Amino acid sequence: MSEETPGFEEKPEVPSGAQEDAEPKAADSSKEGKAAPAGDAAKEIALTAQLDQAQTALGERTADLQRLQAEYQNYRRRVERDRVTVKEIAVAGLLTELLPVLDDIGRAREHGELTGGFKSVAESLETVAAKMGLQQFGKEGEPFDPTVHEALMHSYAPDVTETTCVGILQPGYRIGERTIRPARVAVAEPQPGAAKEGKEDTADEESGGPDKG
């Protein structure tokens, strides 16, 4: 029998290729552990950038929508204003054509000729014109205003202190604030010397009356 050398144990032989393969696998696993957090950070940065782009686009679309809404509101207001203006012009044109008829009705009323069926028709026409916004103006005794009065006759009067309408030859008409015909009137002004005499009288009263010799 052969004697065995004490203290030595036989170890299984390991192929050299197997040992070399184990070392790279360990290295690869360590690299994957280090690369994973870096990949997550890159994804987060990309998502943040996409979110910023989406918010910017949303802000731009919202601004566009608000601008379009404001333009639409302005358009609606402009159309409504134009519609009202066109209506007022049309009504004013129609009522202007009726003014001679209304003048004839007024003269007939002054002469007592507005009677019978003609009176009913005339009053109905005046009522319709008033419903459409027609207003008559011009009265005797009111101060002369060149913006709404047209002076056809002129005279002097001792009992007026300013240019005054003393006769209404044709009444004026307006629709709202728009005058479609001025009132044609006769005016009277104070006597040329009346204003001077009035000032002298006022001065005498303030000084206690005229001096006596």
Side-chain angles (χ1 to χ4, degrees):
M1 295 180 63
S2 59
E3 296 180 356
E4 296 180 358
T5 305
F8 291 93
E9 295 181 357
E10 294 183 359
K11 296 182 179 179
E13 294 182 1
V14 178
S16 59
Q19 185 175 0
E20 291 176 357
D21 292 341
E23 291 178 356
K25 288 181 179 179
D28 291 342
S29 63
S30 63
K31 288 181 180 180
E32 289 177 358
K34 293 180 180 178
D40 293 342
K43 290 181 179 179
E44 184 176 353
I45 293 173
L47 290 175
T48 303
Q50 292 178 0
L51 179 61
D52 292 340
Q53 292 178 357
Q55 290 177 342
T56 302
L58 177 62
E60 292 176 353
R61 299 293 88 78
T62 302
D64 292 342
L65 180 60
Q66 291 175 346
R67 182 170 59 256
L68 288 174
Q69 186 175 8
E71 291 176 356
Y72 177 68
Q73 293 296 334
N74 292 334
Y75 169 76
R76 286 188 59 186
R77 284 194 290 267
R78 185 167 61 254
V79 169
E80 181 65 19
R81 185 171 60 249
D82 293 344
R83 186 184 67 80
V84 173
T85 301
V86 170
K87 180 181 177 181
E88 290 178 351
I89 293 174
V91 171
L94 173 62
L95 294 176
T96 300
E97 296 296 327
L98 291 177
L99 294 185
V101 179
L102 296 176
D103 291 336
D104 291 339
I105 293 173
R107 283 190 290 269
R109 183 178 285 111
E110 291 176 359
H111 292 84
E113 298 175 358
L114 197 63
T115 58
F118 177 59
K119 179 179 180 181
S120 300
V121 173
E123 291 177 348
S124 297
L125 179 61
E126 290 174 335
T127 301
V128 171
K131 287 182 178 180
M132 296 179 70
L134 187 66
Q135 300 175 358
Q136 186 184 100
F137 67 90
K139 295 180 180 179
E140 294 183 5
E142 63 185 10
F144 175 74
D145 183 355
T147 61
V148 295
H149 296 139
E150 181 181 354
L152 300 182
M153 299 177 64
H154 177 270
S155 63
Y156 294 98
D159 57 343
V160 297
T161 57
E162 60 180 341
T163 304
T164 305
C165 300
V166 294
I168 306 300
L169 307 180
Q170 276 187 334
Y173 290 95
R174 65 165 63 97
I175 301 175
E177 299 298 325
R178 180 179 180 181
T179 300
I180 61 175
R181 190 181 77 181
R184 291 163 181 168
V185 299
V187 299
E189 291 184 314
Q191 292 285 355
K196 185 176 180 181
E197 292 176 359
K199 291 181 180 178
E200 292 178 353
D201 293 342
T202 303
D204 291 340
E205 290 177 359
E206 291 178 353
S207 62
D211 295 337
K212 296 181 179 179

